[in-house]
Amino acid sequence: MGEFFSKHFTLERVSRNVFAAVAKEGGGSVANAGFVDLGGNVLVFDTFNTQQAAEDLKRMAENITNQPVTWVINSHWHGDHVRGNQVYKGSNIISSDITYSIMKEKHPSRIVEQKNDRKGLSTYIESLINKQDNGLDKQINFLRELEKSLPGLELVLPNQTFHGQLTFWGEKCSAKLFSPGGGHSFCDAILHIPEEKVIFMGDLLFVQCHPTFFEESDLDNWVEIMEQVKKMDNVSIAIPGHGQVGTKRDLSKLVDYINGISKKVREIDSIAETEMPASYRDWQSPEIYRQNVKMAHALLND
């Protein structure tokens, strides 16, 4: 186990030079991340929800490649993808210009609020422990990791932004970072490593788990982005923001999921009787389906 074990994620080598860090439920990662050994340069994609998880990935990346991390990408502004940024202060942290602006606007007050309510969080954790419900173990573990992260947590913003696309070069392979706009969030970035036939999708892709729709989501553009990626050459492996490593088939499944909900809410007046299709009942977090229907109804019928 040792140097390549983390309680926060499982490290998977998905191609010769690309590694996916798949979040473990109940750990401090929450979302997936990963890194690319470009050859001479190392690029990390997303930084998890806590410093603890981010430190584990940085250590593994540097031990495996024998190089320091050169670049760090923030795919979008959500906390489970950027709150580990402080671990990479010595690297170039990059996001789209929109993601940078939203991070700068929204995160400072959120972090201050959480730091100021550490006592409340501790009390809540104790209340869950006292319920003596084994089904709460993973939630308790997650909250403990959050609690552990808060005293030293600081917001570290990207120090470089891009608009459109950016290409990284190395001796082993290249990587193309591009943002097709907003789908899941205000602005989502994707990283394609063509020589490895791998693509990091961030939260534009969820595999075998229900995606999360937000007020900021653009469902129609989300589908359009996925359709564009499906047409790309040199894509065999798709690393999602949540769930196991997938393929282009998983992009199609998510397109069907979004289109199915969109069609349903455009045709009905009330969402009260909406049932989840059988094909999604074995996906993780089934309770999110009803929330997504409600959010899609608001998004598409305003």
Side-chain angles (χ1 to χ4, degrees):
M1 305 184 99
E3 61 181 343
F4 300 129
F5 171 81
S6 173
K7 65 180 178 179
H8 305 293
F9 58 85
T10 301
L11 191 69
E12 299 181 17
R13 189 171 198 160
V14 299
S15 70
R16 184 175 180 181
N17 297 303
V18 181
F19 295 77
V22 179
K24 292 179 178 177
E25 194 175 354
S29 295
V30 181
N32 298 339
F35 66 90
V36 184
D37 181 4
L38 295 167
N41 294 297
V42 179
L43 184 154
V44 166
F45 188 88
D46 280 338
T47 64
F48 297 134
N49 196 61
T50 64
Q51 311 94 290
Q52 307 92 276
E55 286 166 355
D56 279 2
L57 184 60
K58 181 183 181 185
R59 171 176 52 81
M60 291 185 195
E62 294 184 342
N63 285 347
I64 288 170
T65 65
N66 292 314
Q67 309 230 21
V69 174
T70 311
W71 295 298
V72 176
I73 308 300
N74 289 155
S75 65
H76 62 297
W77 74 274
H78 294 164
D80 52 341
H81 298 262
V82 306
R83 281 168 63 122
N85 276 7
Q86 70 189 75
V87 171
Y88 297 97
K89 285 183 179 179
S91 306
N92 293 322
I93 304 175
I94 303 169
S95 76
S96 72
D97 44 9
I98 294 174
T99 292
Y100 172 87
S101 297
I102 299 294
M103 285 177 65
K104 188 176 181 180
E105 173 192 346
K106 295 186 179 292
H107 278 303
S109 59
R110 291 184 176 202
I111 290 174
V112 168
E113 184 178 347
Q114 288 185 350
K115 282 177 175 281
N116 289 340
D117 192 35
R118 283 164 55 197
K119 186 175 180 181
L121 175 59
S122 179
T123 300
Y124 179 59
I125 293 171
E126 287 300 318
S127 74
L128 294 180
I129 293 171
N130 291 335
K131 286 184 178 180
Q132 295 182 333
D133 182 348
N134 291 333
L136 296 174
D137 286 352
K138 289 178 179 176
Q139 183 181 358
I140 291 168
N141 289 341
F142 156 69
L143 292 172
R144 280 176 165 162
E145 292 297 335
L146 176 61
E147 183 182 39
K148 181 180 177 181
S149 76
L150 288 176
L153 179 65
E154 59 178 296
L155 175 64
V156 172
L157 293 168
N159 49 29
Q160 180 180 342
T161 62
F162 76 100
H163 181 78
Q165 67 180 53
L166 190 62
T167 301
F168 305 88
W169 302 96
E171 297 165 1
K172 296 179 178 179
C173 58
S174 63
K176 178 182 175 183
L177 177 67
F178 63 99
S179 175
H184 168 77
S185 74
F186 288 111
C187 187
D188 298 288
I190 295 169
L191 184 75
H192 181 214
I193 306 93
E195 295 93 338
E196 306 284 307
K197 298 186 177 180
V198 177
I199 193 162
F200 284 89
M201 294 292 296
D203 278 4
L204 288 168
L205 180 61
F206 288 61
V207 174
Q208 291 298 117
C209 56
H210 290 262
T212 309
F213 299 172
F214 294 107
E215 289 182 3
E216 68 194 81
S217 299
D218 184 332
L219 300 185
D220 291 335
N221 197 50
W222 192 340
V223 168
E224 178 58 31
I225 292 168
M226 301 289 273
E227 293 292 359
Q228 290 175 15
V229 174
K230 284 167 59 180
K231 294 175 184 176
M232 289 173 59
D233 295 327
N234 297 322
V235 173
S236 297
I237 297 167
I239 300 171
H242 297 268
Q244 298 301 310
V245 175
T247 67
K248 277 188 176 179
R249 284 194 296 271
D250 294 294
L251 274 71
S252 295
K253 290 178 183 178
L254 192 57
V255 166
D256 290 344
Y257 180 100
I258 298 171
N259 281 339
I261 288 181
S262 298
K263 183 174 185 292
K264 190 171 294 186
V265 301
R266 283 183 169 119
E267 292 175 347
I268 60 176
D269 295 321
S270 172
I271 63 172
E273 302 303 319
T274 304
E275 290 190 12
M276 184 193 309
S279 53
Y280 306 129
R281 287 176 189 161
D282 63 343
W283 284 20
Q284 293 178 31
S285 307
E287 70 281 358
I288 292 178
Y289 182 82
R290 181 57 63 90
Q291 298 172 29
N292 284 340
V293 171
K294 184 177 180 180
M295 181 58 68
H297 192 268
L299 291 170
L300 299 173
N301 290 297
D302 282 348

